[in-house]
Amino acid sequence: MTDTRDRTSLSNAKVSRRTALAGLGATAAIGMAPGYVRYAQAQSSAPIKIGFQAHRTGIGAAYGRWYERTTAAAVKKINDAGGINGRPIEIITEDDGTDPARGAEVVGKFATQHKCDLVYGTLFSHVVMGSAPTAGELKIPYYVVSEGYHVASGKMNRWCLQPGITDVRSQVTSVAPWMAANLGKKVTMIYPDYAFGYDHRDYLPPALKAQGADVLAQIAIPPTESSFTKYLPQIPTDTEVLYHVMVGPAVLTFVKELGEFYGSSGPQLFGFIDSLEAVDINSPGLEFLGGSHFWEGSPRYAQANDSEAQKAYREAVGIDDNGASKDDPKDVSTAAHMFGCWETLYVIKKAMEDSGYKDPEDRAKLVEATEALTEFKDGPEHPQGDKVFNGKIHQVFGHQNISKLESGKLTVVHRTSIEDGMYEPEGDYTTMPL
């Protein structure tokens, strides 16, 4: 496998491995980063090495790029404030190709070759499912930013945690009441044919049924599909709401072909923003989406009631009011997901501080300290909003946003409560040995 690691704290983090090692007695003329004195005063100034499993290539590349950017911003913020337990974070990045087999290889490299303290960052659910067994075998904490229900289901292992982003089951449970009350009772679903899509397939129908609505049809599409016209005629003619969630490089093609199929008429559209993540909603051919609604974890567009913490977070990761890079307005972010990287890193920081983490010998203590956490308050460390963490299932619960596309931007029209997305846990990781 090609070695694609990045042994710096990422290009924007400004705290390099050389700077960190200065505290160990290096005599070369090395630039001192902010917070360096605090590192030197710590018992050990060796960096905390976090293995970042990144989707630099494959169908998750757009997400991976923004996950890296958000990680760099959070690491800079943490390191500038003194790091974790007086030590800087060093991010070591490996590309998993958005591939389960490569993902497992990457986790192994982090544990045995790079000697990382933990692994972090994975998004696509099939990669998590392919990688988590290796993390369990090697007993290295695996903090994912994935959304899939696979972690909360209890089917992973005790070393796999998802404390910075909500899961699909919670998300669809939260938005179903609003959909049924405002858009219609007869729903058709279009979703990707792999684990992430199956969470939508399995958990939206019962949530809608509880609201007196029914799913008429479920259409699964391979995530590598490049054209979708052959699937659209499968949509029942009496569909009132078309629920769509697609991912990958062909999402723009999907929504354009959907518009061509329906023209100026058709059912109400409710999309998970995954169908448009990293895509400019004002792209030619997307005009038909005007008036439709989308789920967003964190809003792409700046909102009138944004908190100071949300404003500071957006500034730190470098996105403008439209959710695009300040350096390139054509580079649209994955705002609905990437906040999870920021928040997960702060959860790791909190758990390391609570456990007095020193080295890989304390990995089990780190897992236990994470499991002991119960809530995160809205603020600079958690700018998306308040959250409740269930240590038994290693899953966090939070608010969801329903936004309407109008006047060329997404405006939040409904924000769910944390309670709206709660469900009865099916497992308990804390009963498993470490």
Side-chain angles (χ1 to χ4, degrees):
M1 174 174 156
T2 302
D3 186 359
T4 56
R5 67 185 181 274
D6 176 356
R7 294 193 60 86
T8 69
S9 299
L10 300 180
S11 59
N12 294 328
K14 297 186 180 179
V15 179
S16 70
R17 180 171 175 79
R18 292 181 62 211
T19 302
L21 291 175
L24 297 178
T27 57
I30 299 173
M32 299 302 181
Y36 173 78
V37 173
R38 287 186 289 273
Y39 303 149
Q41 291 172 343
Q43 182 177 4
S44 170
S45 60
I48 290 170
K49 296 198 291 186
I50 294 179
F52 179 31
Q53 186 180 12
H55 304 331
R56 281 181 166 169
T57 56
I59 62 172
Y63 290 90
R65 183 177 71 254
W66 280 96
Y67 268 39
E68 286 202 60
R69 184 164 180 163
T70 305
T71 296
V75 167
K76 180 182 186 306
K77 200 79 171 178
I78 293 170
N79 282 346
D80 284 355
I84 299 176
N85 291 332
R87 298 164 59 191
I89 297 173
E90 177 187 2
I91 297 292
I92 300 175
T93 303
E94 291 274 0
D95 176 21
D96 63 16
T98 326
D99 175 80
R102 282 182 62 180
E105 292 176 10
V106 164
V107 171
K109 289 184 70 174
F110 285 140
T112 62
Q113 179 178 323
H114 300 310
K115 307 297 183 184
C116 291
D117 294 276
L118 59 94
V119 182
Y120 146 92
T122 325
L123 168 63
F124 274 59
S125 56
H126 63 307
V127 181
V128 174
M129 295 176 75
S131 303
T134 301
E137 291 166 8
L138 298 176
K139 298 185 181 298
I140 185 169
Y142 186 43
Y143 290 81
V144 301
V145 191
S146 173
E147 290 188 298
Y149 180 62
H150 38 276
V151 176
S153 70
K155 296 177 181 178
M156 296 290 97
N157 57 68
R158 195 169 177 183
W159 297 91
C160 186
L161 308 103
Q162 189 160 259
I165 192 168
T166 56
D167 67 282
V168 170
R169 183 178 180 182
S170 179
Q171 292 163 2
V172 299
T173 301
S174 290
V175 302
W178 189 94
M179 287 176 57
N182 294 276
L183 300 182
K185 303 289 188 182
K186 297 179 179 181
V187 181
T188 291
M189 299 177 61
I190 296 180
Y191 59 90
D193 193 9
Y194 73 105
F196 170 69
Y198 303 156
D199 286 344
H200 293 263
R201 176 199 66 189
D202 294 343
Y203 296 108
L204 181 62
L208 287 171
K209 193 170 186 62
Q211 305 301 318
D214 292 308
V215 173
L216 305 180
Q218 296 179 310
I219 303 170
I221 300 179
T224 53
E225 189 66 83
S226 59
S227 180
F228 308 88
T229 54
K230 65 182 178 182
Y231 299 97
L232 301 180
Q234 300 176 32
I235 301 170
T237 56
D238 57 342
T239 297
E240 296 174 348
V241 184
L242 181 62
Y243 176 98
H244 60 95
V245 51
M246 293 301 297
V247 295
V251 290
L252 184 57
T253 302
F254 168 72
V255 288
K256 282 185 174 180
E257 290 181 354
L258 186 63
E260 293 168 357
F261 180 77
Y262 279 115
S264 59
S265 61
Q268 293 285 323
L269 300 177
F270 185 96
F272 258 52
I273 198 63
D274 306 63
S275 297
L276 283 179
E277 280 284 63
V279 173
D280 184 352
I281 60 176
N282 293 303
S283 299
L286 300 188
E287 295 82 5
F288 80 99
L289 288 174
S292 66
H293 294 83
F294 288 87
W295 163 89
E296 295 186 280
S298 187
R300 176 186 300 185
Y301 287 79
Q303 303 294 307
N305 62 346
D306 277 347
S307 66
E308 291 304 312
Q310 176 67 203
K311 293 175 183 177
Y313 158 76
R314 294 175 70 95
E315 178 67 25
V317 298
I319 57 174
D320 61 20
D321 286 350
N322 296 323
S325 170
K326 288 189 173 183
D327 300 324
D328 180 3
K330 294 181 180 180
D331 185 7
V332 179
S333 73
T334 57
H337 297 80
M338 67 194 201
F339 73 89
C341 294
W342 181 284
E343 299 205 12
T344 301
L345 283 167
Y346 273 102
V347 172
I348 292 168
K349 177 178 183 292
K350 170 66 173 170
M352 281 191 163
E353 291 169 348
D354 287 353
S355 64
Y357 184 90
K358 293 183 177 64
D359 55 46
E361 293 296 318
D362 292 333
R363 285 172 175 165
K365 292 180 181 179
L366 177 60
V367 171
E368 291 173 328
T370 306
E371 291 172 340
L373 300 172
T374 57
E375 62 179 358
F376 310 125
K377 293 297 186 182
D378 184 4
E381 298 181 356
H382 299 279
Q384 192 266 353
D386 293 330
K387 293 179 180 64
V388 171
F389 184 67
N390 186 329
K392 291 185 176 181
I393 58 174
H394 290 186
Q395 181 60 55
V396 77
F397 295 85
H399 302 276
Q400 313 301 332
N401 300 286
I402 296 174
S403 298
K404 185 175 183 180
L405 178 54
E406 51 189 354
S407 302
K409 63 183 293 187
L410 289 161
T411 302
V412 176
V413 295
H414 179 70
R415 184 167 170 85
T416 70
S417 69
I418 295 176
E419 292 71 25
D420 288 338
M422 301 293 280
Y423 51 76
E424 192 65 29
E426 296 185 81
D428 184 353
Y429 287 114
T430 64
T431 64
M432 298 180 180
L434 281 166

